[in-house]
Amino acid sequence: MSVNQEQRTIRCLVAKVGLDGHDRGAHVISRAFRDAGFEVIYSGLHRAPEEIVQAAVQEDVDILGISILSGAHDTLIPEIIDGLTEYDAFDDTLVIVGGIIPDEDEEELKELGVAEVFGPGASMAEMIEFVRENAPERE
Amino acid sequence: MQERSQGDDAEHRTGSPDSDGSNGPGDDSVNPLIEDLLAGKHRALARVITKIENRQPGYRELVSQLHQHTGDASVVGVTGSPGSGKSTLVDKMAATYRERGETVGVIAIDPSSPFTGGAVLGDRIRMGSNVGDMDVFFRSMSARGSLGGLSTATTDAVKALDAFGKDRIIIETVGAGQNEIDIVKTADTVTVLVPPGSGDDVQMLKAGILEIGDVFVVNKADLDGANRTVQELREMLDYRDGGLPRTVGHHGADAAGDVHGEDDGTETAGWEPTIVETVADRGEGVEELLDVLADHRAYLDRSGEREKQRRARYAEEIRTLVREDVNELLAAEIEHRGGIDSFVKQVRERETDPYAVADDVVGPIEECLSERRE
Ligand code: B12
Ligand SMILES: Nc1nc2c(ncn2[C@@H]2O[C@H](COP(=O)(O)OP(=O)(O)O)[C@@H](O)[C@H]2O)c(=O)[nH]1
Ligand SMILES: [Mg+2]
């Protein structure tokens, strides 16, 4: 294949942050995204917010998907968003969240700039569709 | 997270001897993205690599502007079968370079799933030793279904890291086949991981990787069979080069055949492939490995091999690009003249023949070139 032919692919970071050992959801999502043709980088368990920021910036992902079932989303997610902002990476990264997030917290996260929250039972097709439709347009 | 010293870097760049050169044919203005990259902005570096990977319109201009800022980094290729411990080792190598005050760039290549084009890039998971240290820039890349293009993309991404100012660049790739070998061959030093007694290690070495390795790492030296693997490897390398390879590593200098022909001062002997034992997950043997890599760099400089390597590579790079460009030009020309199918039809109906078609398509280009030359 030609070296010059354009080959764009949606890149996603699936991130587990904090002391949260629930990784089934993250694995399921990683595989589903892969099968949808995305390139997925999985962070692994127990990452600090700054590690997630480092990975999102360096890998230049279109989508940062944070999977969190520990209940610590209200402190960890703002830290990640601040870090992305610090590196000028927040504006053109789509941040989505999955896991156990109470409704009232969902609103708060959205105010911070999280594009969507997906809870237990969210359909794969729906999530993939959302990513395809909302992946940031980049020059 | 510490931001790298941006001021320093910018100064270093403007002070470089050839910074007054032009930025490629017909255009003297530096692309703002490249400006940001040279100023030490991580986001810009990341985005340049994305454009390179995507082959996005305009990426060629970016890479040509990078070129004059390259040439200072050393590039190590790390290859070996899946699970041999490459990513774990790369993580520890990066951390050790950082302890020595050097900055690091890593390109980790994972093959993508051939059916959907999607991939889970799993190398980053092992990067646990460099948490929040932005002076280790780690980037995962997939094959995107075109391994041929991948070695070009890797070369270009290495240029971006080099121009950014990384001292040490590591390329991790699975040593599976010819394409991967082509990728790892773009490194100055090729390191091959051989885990003990894995059965497929010998298979892999047969695939031509034995020939290109400068340094062999028997990783997982904590496992049974490590000594035997070192022994087997030494025999194979002995056969390859007709000289005894030296061995260093976490088991110390107990192994026979240690430090063979290293300090005898004669440079005609060439480089002895060196075996290093490591336990990557515990970081054992990593210092020794980095010392051997430094030895190899010194050897490349002393012997004039580096010069030869560079010349051969630029020649290959130019040839590849010219070939690709001409191919594209000709594909467009064929399309313009009604497409390959219409030529095939004419050939089948004996109205013309393949040679005549080729002459017909290429002839005008030849004419145009010879006119220009005069
Ligand atoms: C299985 C499970 C475990 C397993 C985890 C195994 C593993 N390796 O994952 C084990 C037994 C280890 C476990 C332990 C604990 N658990 Co538990 N666990 C569950 C349980 C029953 C199911 C979770 C699960 O795997 N679901 C299946 C996956 C596929 O669904 P999912 O993760 O929700 O993902 C879906 C969506 O959320 C979304 N999604 C998720 N991530 C992402 C990411 C992206 C990018 C996107 C787009 C979407 C997305 O898409 C997925 C598909 O629909 C839940 C209850 C529940 N029904 O959710 C409790 C639950 C999560 N656990 C809970 C608790 C409290 C614990 C423990 C603290 C219990 C204890 N006291 O010891 C420990 C903590 C362990 C730890 N280190 O963190 C609580 C959390 C409460 C809270 N957050 O307020 C829950 C909600 C149970 C409850 N009702 O109290 N647990
Ligand atoms: N016992 C042992 N395991 C190791 C060593 N180095 C790496 N591993 C493990 O080998 C597995 C594969 O490692 P990874 O770095 O992902 O291999 P890669 O596929 O070659 O990149 C992981 O579970 C590592 O923890 C080692 O020196 N000894
Ligand atoms: Mg790996």
Side-chain angles (χ1 to χ4, degrees), chain B residues 86-87 110 122-123 126 172:
Chain B
K86 297 180 295 297
S87 301
D110 241 1
D123 296 317
R126 311 277 180 223
E172 172 188 339

Side-chain angles (χ1 to χ4, degrees), chain A residues 19-25 28-29 33 65-67 69-71 96 98-100 118-122 124 127:
Chain A
L19 300 170
D20 175 9
H22 298 92
D23 60 359
R24 281 194 205 162
V28 169
I29 293 292
F33 281 2
I66 306 166
S67 172
L69 289 78
S70 67
I96 57 178
I100 307 288
F118 299 96
M124 289 303 159
M127 290 187 274

Side-chain angles (χ1 to χ4, degrees), chain B residues 98-166:
Chain B
R98 293 293 298 129
E99 279 163 24
R100 298 180 178 190
E102 293 164 327
T103 58
V104 184
V106 179
I107 309 266
I109 298 160
D110 241 1
S112 74
S113 141
F115 300 112
T116 62
V120 176
L121 307 174
D123 296 317
R124 191 168 192 115
I125 266 192
R126 311 277 180 223
M127 290 305 288
S129 307
N130 299 285
V131 177
D133 179 3
M134 286 297 258
D135 283 334
V136 177
F137 190 100
F138 185 102
R139 182 63 176 246
S140 317
M141 271 169 62
S142 89
R144 300 211 176 158
S146 104
L147 285 164
L150 185 58
S151 62
T152 306
T154 309
T155 308
D156 292 346
V158 165
K159 285 186 187 178
L161 291 168
D162 187 349
F164 186 84
K166 293 303 182 194

Side-chain angles (χ1 to χ4, degrees), chain B residues 13 18 66-73 158-160 162-164 314:
Chain B
R13 293 303 157 197
D18 47 7
L66 289 172
H67 181 74
Q68 61 174 303
H69 303 281
T70 60
D72 296 330
V158 165
K159 285 186 187 178
D162 187 349
F164 186 84
Y314 286 139

Side-chain angles (χ1 to χ4, degrees), chain B residues 78-90 110 122-123 125-126 172-174 193 196 218-223 278-284:
Chain B
V78 175
T79 191
S81 50
S84 54
K86 297 180 295 297
S87 301
T88 312
L89 184 67
V90 167
D110 241 1
D123 296 317
I125 266 192
R126 311 277 180 223
E172 172 188 339
T173 179
V174 174
L193 260 70
V218 176
N219 185 42
K220 308 198 182 185
D222 54 324
L223 300 185
T278 60
V279 184
D281 52 355
R282 288 192 245 137
E284 289 171 27

Side-chain angles (χ1 to χ4, degrees), chain B residues 15-61:
Chain B
S16 86
D18 47 7
S19 63
D20 55 350
S22 83
N23 298 303
D27 186 8
D28 274 358
S29 62
V30 177
N31 184 297
L33 196 54
I34 298 296
E35 250 168 37
D36 284 349
L37 180 150
L38 296 174
K41 292 236 161 62
H42 298 98
R43 191 63 173 165
L45 171 59
R47 186 57 51 86
V48 166
I49 297 178
T50 302
K51 285 175 181 286
I52 287 170
E53 259 202 296
N54 289 349
R55 301 282 181 266
Q56 231 151 298
Y59 93 91
R60 291 172 68 118
E61 185 208 339

Side-chain angles (χ1 to χ4, degrees), chain A residues 54-77:
Chain A
Q54 182 183 20
V57 170
Q58 295 184 346
E59 300 288 356
D60 196 20
V61 288
D62 305 281
I63 319 292
L64 168 58
I66 306 166
S67 172
I68 186 157
L69 289 78
S70 67
H73 46 271
D74 51 344
T75 57
L76 297 174
I77 291 173

